[in-house]
């Protein structure tokens, strides 16, 4: 089997773009493995200077593939064709072409099953897998699990990033590295995305974030359209120069993506067999969501308010299945400064295994903090860890061998950081020394399961001062000793004050004492401003908050009166208005809030002064990189739900701003961008006529003639389908189309858009919504 090791491995180059360059076109490129096998083999022969061959199977999955043959038949022929290179063959696996929930409609389990099918048809014929061009780590997680669980072949996983350094759904290189490394992939990296020069900073961040081998396969820069053909300007010599820079940085494998030709791979083949540069990677206790990485160093706050212990309203919500209540609580804790959220559904009257995954999905739909899965039920822990978008923290194990044997395999499989309790089946030891002994036992046993020390946090256990006052000091002494073992520490701080008066005072004082002894992760109520303030102040005074930046940002608008107001409001809902509801993306409650707004405002006022302003605020945060695509879509859906209620009051006045025909052009089955545009512009009041994907020129012209829209939106993701977009625009002009034509997609830019005859290029859905409003204002 193929593994990346101490020597540089050279991958091959672009396949789809090479087919186009040779004048070979096919709506389903995978079918060429059967219908024009000699053309496919000729490309593999041309790339024989590479160390591995990549099969022509990028779109071969049950969701995306729309060809004439069975998946197994195409897989067999594709690998057979690739074997002519006489090199090990990687089975090429691309995304499904559909967005996962909550951004899209594809379920995590459905994505897993699709990739499982690919594993089953290919595991006995290929030498490994290369998962390429993934823009959503949730889908990438489903794919890695599917191949790891259903095949013994090595799995290499690469993502695609935009110029901002994030994936489409907002993941940074560090988040991708932490997720992919944790899930047990054999190598990770970046492909497609940008040109080699532009990828240099992303490559450096990946190298710094993982100890795994790193693969880089850049595009040949951004393409242009010239005389109806895709043209790349970057030369092979310049490509080779930047690949050399990456080799010097420490990458383990190099190759090319869109636009690269055999000449490019021949130029970089000289790196094959060179020693991979040694690099140092300092491992850390890190958990992440799709958009946030939390490295547990210094002090990080774990919000405790999604644990039903002592919380009547939360218990009722869990029993009644009111997951929106939990989403509200999650949003509140995030806004109050929590770094991680504890999720606990441990009530005897509920099926924890069934409920935990639902809670995880609902909370991560509205809140982008990393999650701590808090349960004593191993089945519930695994069910939750599986659907968690990112790398979770598991709370907890203890020093009992049976407990560790149940939980550690789950933590290993899903890359989780583990919180270990300094107790065993005999209970909580009275002395600090015995708690430290248990901590050492947990660390040793974890290593036997392949869980390194940096992924262990130890809780030395807080006892209540009302019952065991003398043991409070033992907890702190154990905390200090454990922190010297090279692991991070945690405490459920508020446990110290059970049964005593003025609990906040005791909690705050104990927290400060514990921080001084080395506490890294207090599990506490982040809505308690004085507790959170104690953490901020400690970070400043101890030098953890360099230049007091976090402290100043937190308290820049502080005043005593504001602090008192906050204290009074503690425990109230975050989304108190329709504006807040849309901003938070609470689409299930938007209609209810719209009804309340309509009691005090006229319908048009609700639209103009609340909905549009809320969307504009979300758009501002999105453009600033403070919100990401999932949050943008949730807010758009919430606005749509509210607008539906308001429109019933408007009656005949509830006319849309105008009509927009949307289509992904002929030959392109990637309609993710178009679907996002549909949701967002509808939330701004536009009616859409969605023609779908792989739409012929004739269908677009007919739909425009029948609907007389104000605008037409065309999308293309593949370089090979830009000429189809150009032909569609030309046909619309010839048919007398009066509508403004908008184009978008990863392979386009303003210059290309102008060259193919479009009126406007928009980089994303939000920009199109704003541009539509501008155009409407001019007419």
């Amino acid at each position: 089997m193929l593994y990346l090791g101490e020597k540089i491995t050279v991958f091959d180059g672009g396949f789809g773009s090479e087919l186009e360059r040779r004048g070979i076109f096919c709506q389903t490129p995978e079918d060429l493995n059967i219908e024009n096998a000699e053309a496919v083999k000729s490309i593999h022969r041309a790339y024989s200077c590479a160390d591995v061959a990549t099969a022509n199977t990028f779109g071969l999955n049950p969701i995306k593939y729309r060809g004439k043959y069975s998946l197994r038949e195409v897989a067999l022929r594709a690998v057979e064709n690739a074997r002519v290179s006489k090199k090990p063959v990687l089975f090429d696996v691309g995304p499904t072409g559909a967005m996962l929930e909550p951004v899209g409609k594809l379920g995590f389990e459905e994505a897993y099953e699709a990739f499982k099918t690919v594993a089953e048809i290919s595991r006995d014929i290929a030498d490994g897998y290369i998962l390429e061009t993934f823009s959503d780590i949730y889908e990438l997680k489903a794919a890695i699990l599917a191949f790891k669980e259903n095949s013994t072949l090595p799995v290499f996983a690469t993502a695609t990033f935009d110029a901002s350094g994030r994936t489409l759904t907002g993941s940074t290189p560090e988040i991708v590295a932490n997720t992919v490394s944790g899930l047990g992939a054999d190598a990770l990296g970046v492909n497609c995305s940008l040109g080699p020069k532009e990828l240099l900073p992303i490559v450096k961040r990946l190298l710094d974030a993982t100890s795994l081998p790193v693969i880089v396969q850049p595009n040949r820069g951004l393409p242009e359209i010239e005389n109806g053909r895709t043209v790349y300007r970057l030369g092979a010599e310049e490509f080779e120069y930047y690949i050399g820079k990456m080799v010097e940085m420490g990458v383990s494998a190099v190759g090319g993506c869109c636009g690269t030709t055999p000449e490019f791979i021949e130029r970089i083949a000289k790196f094959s067999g060179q020693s991979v540069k040694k690099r140092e990677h300092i491992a850390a206790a890190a958990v992440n969501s799709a958009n946030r990485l939390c490295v547990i160093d210094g002090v990080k706050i774990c919000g405790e308010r999604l644990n039903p212990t002592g919380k009547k309203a939360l218990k009722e919500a869990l029993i009644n299945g009111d997951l929106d209540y939990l989403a509200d609580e999650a949003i509140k804790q995030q806004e109050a400064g929590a770094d991680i959220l504890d999720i606990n559904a441990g009530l005897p009257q509920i099926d924890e295994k069934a409920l935990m995954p639902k809670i995880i999905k609902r909370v991560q739909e509205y809140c982008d903090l990393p999650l701590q899965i808090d349960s004593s039920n191993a089945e519930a822990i695994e069910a939750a860890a599986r659907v968690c978008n990112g790398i979770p923290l598991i709370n907890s194990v203890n020093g009992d061998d049976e407990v560790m044997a149940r939980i550690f395999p789950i933590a290993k499989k899903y890359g989780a950081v583990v919180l270990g309790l300094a107790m065993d089946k005999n209970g909580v030891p009275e002395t600090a020394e015995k708690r430290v002994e248990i901590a050492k036992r947990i660390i040793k046993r974890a290593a036997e399961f392949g869980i390194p020390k940096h992924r262990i946090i130890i809780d030395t256990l807080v006892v209540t001062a009302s019952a065991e006052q003398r043991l409070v000091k033992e907890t702190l002494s154990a905390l200090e000793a454990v922190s010297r073992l090279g692991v991070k520490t945690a405490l459920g701080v508020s446990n110290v004050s059970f049964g005593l008066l003025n609990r906040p005072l005791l909690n705050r004082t104990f927290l400060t004492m514990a921080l001084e002894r080395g506490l890294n992760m207090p599990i506490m109520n982040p809505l308690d401003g004085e507790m959170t303030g104690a953490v901020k102040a400690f970070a400043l005074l101890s030098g953890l908050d360099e230049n007091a930046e976090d402290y100043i940002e937190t308290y820049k608008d502080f005043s005593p009166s504001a602090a008192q107001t906050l204290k009074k409001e503690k425990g109230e809902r975050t989304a108190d208005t329709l504006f807040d509801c849309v901003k938070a993306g609470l689409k299930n409650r938007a209609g209810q809030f719209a009804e309340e707004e309509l009691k005090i405002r006229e319908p048009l006022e609700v639209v103009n002064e609340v909905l549009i302003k809320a969307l504009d605020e979300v758009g501002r945060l999105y453009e600033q990189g403070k919100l990401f695509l999932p949050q943008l879509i949730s807010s758009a859906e919430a606005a749509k739900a509210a607008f539906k209620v308001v429109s019933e009051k408007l009656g005949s006045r509830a006319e849309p701003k105008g009509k927009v025909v949307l289509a992904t052009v002929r030959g392109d089955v990637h309609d993710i961008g178009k679907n996002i545009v549909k949701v967002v512009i509808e939330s701004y009041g536009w009616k859409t006529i969605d023609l779908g994907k792989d739409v012929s020129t004739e269908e677009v012209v007919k739909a425009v003639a029948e609907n007389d829209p104000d605008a037409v939106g065309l999308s293309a993701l593949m370089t090979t389908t830009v000429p189809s977009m150009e032909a569609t625009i030309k046909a619309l002009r010839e048919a007398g189309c009066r509508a403004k034509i908008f184009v978008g997609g990863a392979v386009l830019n303003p210059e290309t858009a102008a060259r193919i005859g479009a009126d406007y290029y928009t980089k994303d859905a939000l920009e199109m919504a704003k541009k539509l409003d501008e155009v409407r204002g001019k007419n």
Side-chain angles (χ1 to χ4, degrees):
M1 288 192 294
L2 175 66
Y3 290 98
L4 303 185
E6 297 181 352
K7 303 295 183 181
I8 299 290
T9 301
V10 175
F11 285 30
D12 53 18
F15 207 97
S17 57
E18 183 65 8
L19 286 168
E20 181 191 10
R21 190 175 76 88
R22 296 179 179 216
I24 304 168
F25 299 96
C26 182
Q27 182 176 335
T28 309
E30 293 76 22
D31 283 356
L32 290 171
N33 290 299
I34 295 173
E35 296 175 352
N36 196 346
E38 194 50 46
V40 173
K41 289 178 181 179
S42 70
I43 295 176
H44 285 306
R45 290 190 190 100
Y47 281 130
S48 61
C49 57
D51 297 314
V52 296
T54 306
N56 177 31
T57 53
F58 181 76
L60 195 66
N61 66 69
I63 294 174
K64 187 176 183 181
Y65 177 67
R66 290 293 180 267
K68 306 172 185 176
Y69 311 99
S70 72
L71 294 175
R72 174 67 174 178
E73 185 179 7
V74 176
L76 285 168
R77 294 294 295 275
V79 173
E80 178 185 320
N81 292 337
R83 293 287 179 199
V84 301
S85 67
K86 302 187 185 307
K87 301 295 171 64
V89 175
L90 291 176
F91 202 88
D92 194 12
V93 180
T96 60
M99 290 297 287
L100 268 66
E101 296 172 337
V103 177
K105 296 182 179 179
L106 183 67
F108 179 85
E109 296 81 1
E110 293 175 276
Y112 172 87
E113 289 298 325
F115 293 121
K116 178 183 177 182
T117 297
V118 179
E120 291 172 341
I121 65 169
S122 59
R123 61 194 174 197
D124 60 341
I125 58 174
D127 300 303
Y129 297 102
I130 176 70
L131 316 184
E132 294 190 300
T133 326
F134 279 76
S135 59
D136 180 356
I137 65 162
Y138 205 27
E139 184 177 22
L140 187 53
K141 176 176 181 175
I144 292 171
L145 288 174
F147 289 105
K148 282 294 182 180
E149 292 177 353
N150 298 282
S151 169
T152 58
L153 299 179
V155 177
F156 308 147
T158 61
T160 181
F161 300 86
D162 61 25
S164 73
R166 288 185 180 264
T167 67
L168 177 67
T169 53
S171 301
T172 63
E174 293 79 10
I175 288 171
V176 171
N178 197 53
T179 303
V180 174
S181 300
L183 292 170
D186 299 281
L188 61 85
V190 53
N191 80 294
C192 204
S193 305
L194 308 163
K197 179 181 179 181
E198 293 77 15
L199 276 184
L200 285 174
I202 291 173
V203 172
K204 182 180 187 308
R205 292 170 67 181
L206 285 171
L207 288 166
D208 289 344
T210 184
S211 60
L212 284 181
V214 171
I215 305 165
V216 186
Q217 298 189 84
N219 280 346
R220 186 182 169 182
L222 291 175
E224 299 177 6
I225 302 300
E226 189 175 276
N227 299 322
R229 294 183 64 85
T230 305
V231 177
Y232 294 87
R233 303 297 182 188
L234 186 72
E237 184 177 354
E238 186 176 357
F239 187 86
E240 175 193 344
Y241 172 79
Y242 286 110
I243 291 294
K245 291 289 185 185
M246 295 173 188
V247 169
E248 292 173 6
M249 294 163 65
V251 301
S252 297
V254 294
C257 203
C258 299
T260 56
T261 68
E263 178 192 0
F264 283 69
I265 304 307
E266 287 172 5
R267 293 292 293 256
I268 66 173
K270 68 179 186 180
F271 298 114
S272 174
Q274 291 187 17
S275 295
V276 175
K277 180 183 177 181
K278 301 291 184 183
R279 66 185 200 274
E280 291 186 10
H281 169 64
I282 301 174
V287 292
N288 65 272
S289 66
N291 306 137
R292 294 200 190 203
L293 179 75
C294 179
V295 178
I296 304 170
D297 57 3
V299 184
K300 297 296 187 291
I301 296 172
C302 181
E304 68 178 6
R305 289 180 58 83
L306 290 178
N307 185 323
T309 303
K311 302 179 185 70
K312 182 179 178 181
L314 179 58
K315 286 181 180 178
E316 292 177 355
L318 287 169
I319 293 169
N320 297 327
D322 182 4
L323 302 185
D324 287 330
Y325 178 91
L326 277 73
D328 274 359
E329 285 292 338
I331 294 168
K332 281 192 294 185
Q333 291 185 89
Q334 177 169 332
E335 293 184 347
D339 300 295
I340 302 169
L341 292 184
D342 182 77
I343 307 290
N344 185 302
L347 294 175
Q349 54 271 71
I350 65 174
D351 182 348
E352 194 177 356
K353 179 185 175 183
L355 186 59
M356 278 292 275
K358 295 177 182 178
I359 296 173
I360 296 293
K361 287 183 178 181
R362 182 58 60 88
V363 169
Q364 66 190 17
E365 182 176 352
Y366 298 107
C367 171
D368 64 358
L369 292 181
L371 302 179
Q372 173 172 278
I373 299 167
D374 185 357
S375 176
S376 58
N377 182 323
E379 291 184 339
I381 289 173
E382 175 150 25
R386 191 170 186 84
V387 300
C388 180
N389 190 354
I391 296 295
L393 196 159
I394 291 177
N395 180 4
S396 57
V397 299
N398 58 44
D400 186 339
D401 276 336
E402 291 183 3
V403 174
M404 290 188 284
R406 286 197 302 269
I407 305 301
F408 281 150
I410 299 170
K412 171 65 176 175
K413 180 176 181 178
Y414 297 102
V417 174
V418 182
L419 192 151
L421 306 179
M423 61 177 288
D424 56 22
K425 57 187 175 183
N426 297 315
V428 180
E430 291 194 353
T431 67
E433 291 77 13
K434 288 184 178 179
R435 296 188 204 183
V436 175
E437 286 177 10
I438 293 175
K440 290 178 180 178
R441 192 192 314 160
I442 292 171
I443 295 168
K444 183 174 184 252
R445 192 81 172 103
E448 293 171 1
F449 281 88
I451 300 171
K453 185 184 289 187
H454 72 265
R455 281 170 47 198
I456 298 292
I457 301 174
I458 296 295
D459 185 338
T460 55
L461 297 168
V462 177
V463 295
T464 175
S466 63
E468 298 177 288
Q469 185 178 357
R470 65 185 180 84
L471 296 187
V472 173
K473 289 199 299 182
E474 294 298 317
T475 294
L476 295 173
S477 296
L479 179 75
E480 188 171 15
V482 165
S483 66
R484 292 195 293 266
L485 298 177
V487 296
K488 301 303 179 183
T489 58
L491 286 177
V493 176
S494 61
N495 293 342
V496 76
S497 63
F498 280 134
L500 293 168
L501 300 174
N502 198 358
R503 292 189 64 193
L505 174 61
L506 291 171
N507 293 343
R508 186 169 68 252
T509 304
F510 179 71
L511 170 64
T512 305
M513 296 168 68
L515 291 171
E516 183 61 30
R517 297 291 192 100
L519 176 61
N520 299 114
M521 192 181 76
I523 303 171
M524 53 177 263
N525 177 11
L527 274 68
D528 186 325
E530 293 182 338
M531 288 277 284
T532 305
V535 172
K536 302 289 185 183
F538 175 82
L540 185 156
L541 297 173
S542 63
L544 295 171
D545 181 8
E546 192 172 348
N547 299 320
E549 291 180 1
D550 185 44
Y551 186 88
I552 292 170
E553 177 64 24
T554 301
Y555 293 107
K556 62 185 179 182
D557 299 319
F558 176 82
S559 69
S561 59
Q564 288 301 315
T565 300
L566 178 62
K567 190 172 181 180
K568 290 177 183 177
E569 292 178 349
K570 185 179 71 175
E572 294 180 5
R573 300 179 66 253
T574 299
D576 290 323
T577 67
L578 178 58
F579 181 96
D580 296 329
C581 185
V582 172
K583 183 180 173 184
L586 297 175
K587 53 184 177 285
N588 295 334
R589 296 193 175 183
Q592 169 192 337
F593 278 103
E595 293 281 5
E596 294 300 316
E597 252 345 302
L598 287 167
K599 293 177 181 178
I600 58 174
R601 295 176 185 262
E602 288 296 316
L604 285 175
E605 187 182 1
V606 173
V607 173
N608 295 323
E609 296 300 318
V610 181
L611 295 179
I612 297 301
K613 287 187 176 181
L615 287 170
D616 287 345
E617 172 67 6
V618 170
R620 182 183 67 81
L621 294 171
Y622 177 75
E623 290 173 343
Q624 291 176 352
K626 295 179 180 179
L627 291 180
F628 304 99
L629 183 62
Q631 292 83 30
L632 177 67
I633 295 298
S634 289
S635 292
E637 293 282 10
K640 282 175 60 179
F643 187 80
K644 182 178 180 181
V645 172
V646 175
S647 65
E648 293 173 358
K649 299 289 184 181
L650 281 168
S652 61
R653 290 179 293 167
E655 293 296 325
K657 293 177 180 178
K659 292 183 289 186
V660 182
V661 168
L662 297 175
T664 299
V665 298
R666 169 64 83 191
D668 207 321
V669 295
H670 303 83
D671 62 349
I672 291 171
K674 184 261 298 172
N675 293 341
I676 293 169
V677 166
K678 173 182 169 68
V679 172
V680 173
I681 67 174
E682 284 181 350
S683 73
Y684 273 83
W686 293 85
K687 179 181 178 181
T688 64
I689 298 95
D690 184 359
L691 304 182
K693 57 189 175 184
D694 189 23
V695 182
S696 70
T697 295
E698 295 74 20
E699 289 177 88
V700 176
V701 172
K702 180 181 178 183
V704 169
E706 291 177 350
N707 292 281
D708 189 26
D710 300 271
V712 178
L714 303 176
S715 73
L717 185 66
M718 301 165 60
T719 57
T720 54
T721 55
V722 176
S724 177
M725 179 180 281
E726 183 178 23
T728 301
I729 295 171
K730 182 180 179 182
L732 286 169
R733 300 296 190 204
E734 291 174 350
C737 172
R738 70 170 188 84
K740 298 297 183 183
I741 299 176
F742 291 72
V743 297
V747 295
L748 296 169
N749 56 37
E751 293 73 28
T752 302
R755 193 175 295 116
I756 64 177
D759 294 302
Y760 299 100
Y761 161 80
T762 54
K763 69 179 187 297
D764 55 38
L766 187 63
E767 185 175 304
M768 182 167 179
K770 293 182 176 180
K771 187 64 69 174
L772 280 169
D773 282 348
E774 288 179 18
V775 172
R776 178 173 176 263
K778 293 176 183 177
N779 295 336

